[in-house]
Amino acid sequence: MSTGVRIIMFGRQGAGKGTQSSRLAQHFGVPHISTGEMLRNAVKQDSVVGRAAKTVLERGELVDDELMVSLVQGRIGQEDARVAGYVLDGFPRTIAQATAFDSITRARPVNFVIDLDVTRDVVVGRLSARRICDSCGAIYTAAGGEPADWKCAKCGGQVTQRHDDRPAAINHRLDVYETLTAPLISYYRGRGSLHVIDGLGSPDEVFERLKTVVETGLRR
Ligand code: ADP
Ligand code: ZN
């Protein structure tokens, strides 16, 4: 196996994929590449990509494969990712993205594919309660009784609900996940490179499981 930690993280929306990807990236000293985050930033900056993606994102649909592949190709081609590797969070999302990704990473293929497994029932509850700081991205859980004007404890930014964390969009995103993304798990399982990790438990417990899988794999 060539050096570097190149991880693809799968998991239903709300499985904790973003949090755990970020922790793994920090632990192994590689960039955390979240395609959802890249797209949301593009929308905020009102860039060409952002304008193309805005309504698609709000509806919880998938952004065009070609656009996604070129975004990711550009990002993993940057120095930090080329040298150390990456944790890829939110990509690939379709078989077309996965096969395109295979062909652009032939020289340095991904070495861990992880499915962070949490059932649909559990994630619906988590997502409906999820709130995010518009400025720093800190994640909060609404338990009821929050002020309408909720300020982030870390940076003072506005804490809001993502458009696509409203019930209709949540169910739609989960349906999209089952039909388009779940088959990818079989795709990687077929190659023997898939690790299924139980996503239930505290963030620390889940992180320990993930870290162990990667460290064990690196020692082989
Ligand atoms: P979640 O997994 O919770 O839906 P993400 O932050 O990963 O959230 O993605 C948010 C949105 O960004 C998706 O609903 C989709 O519209 C778009 N998106 C992110 N990654 C991709 C991708 N690889 N292909 C197509 N669309 C994507
Ligand atoms: Zn904040």
Side-chain angles (χ1 to χ4, degrees):
M1 181 156 68
S2 53
T3 56
V5 178
R6 291 176 299 279
I7 303 175
I8 289 178
M9 284 282 280
F10 286 115
R12 287 192 178 81
Q13 293 81 357
K17 181 167 56 83
T19 311
Q20 296 296 342
S21 295
S22 147
R23 291 183 67 165
L24 279 174
Q26 200 160 12
H27 183 81
F28 290 102
V30 301
H32 169 207
I33 303 178
S34 157
T35 49
E37 196 76 357
M38 288 171 81
L39 292 169
R40 282 189 291 279
N41 285 335
V43 170
K44 245 191 245 168
Q45 289 157 10
D46 198 29
S47 68
V48 177
V49 169
R51 261 169 272 157
K54 188 169 193 289
T55 34
V56 180
L57 246 76
E58 280 173 2
R59 290 198 190 119
E61 310 267 334
L62 291 189
V63 173
D64 178 69
D65 286 335
E66 261 173 64
L67 175 61
M68 292 312 303
V69 171
S70 73
L71 260 185
V72 169
Q73 184 167 23
R75 183 61 190 88
I76 64 171
Q78 286 172 26
E79 178 81 14
D80 57 348
R82 261 198 349 260
V83 173
Y86 47 79
V87 179
L88 199 46
D89 164 9
F91 181 97
R93 274 274 223 291
T94 62
I95 295 280
Q97 291 180 12
T99 52
F101 189 68
D102 283 344
S103 60
I104 63 178
T105 55
R106 275 208 212 294
R108 279 184 291 265
V110 63
N111 41 22
F112 297 92
V113 180
I114 296 173
D115 177 22
L116 190 57
D117 193 29
V118 179
T119 62
R120 184 161 173 149
D121 287 353
V122 172
V123 300
V124 169
R126 289 188 187 174
L127 287 174
S128 318
R130 179 162 77 175
R131 301 291 182 274
I132 293 183
C133 169
D134 285 343
S135 305
C136 74
I139 296 174
Y140 295 92
T141 302
E146 290 76 22
D149 187 25
W150 185 351
K151 299 283 190 238
C152 175
K154 292 186 184 129
C155 79
Q158 197 68 39
V159 177
T160 60
Q161 184 172 38
R162 267 169 54 175
H163 282 291
D164 59 358
D165 278 346
R166 307 210 168 128
I170 289 175
N171 277 304
H172 186 62
R173 280 156 63 213
L174 287 166
D175 289 342
V176 170
Y177 185 85
E178 301 314 330
T179 54
L180 292 177
T181 309
L184 285 177
I185 293 172
S186 320
Y187 175 87
Y188 289 105
R189 181 179 283 124
R191 300 175 169 191
S193 50
L194 184 75
H195 301 272
V196 180
I197 305 295
D198 180 3
L200 275 189
S202 73
D204 286 345
E205 282 163 0
V206 175
F207 180 65
E208 278 307 310
R209 291 174 202 144
L210 290 164
K211 198 177 75 169
T212 303
V213 161
V214 176
E215 281 171 350
T216 309
L218 289 174
R219 265 186 255 118
R220 291 233 168 84

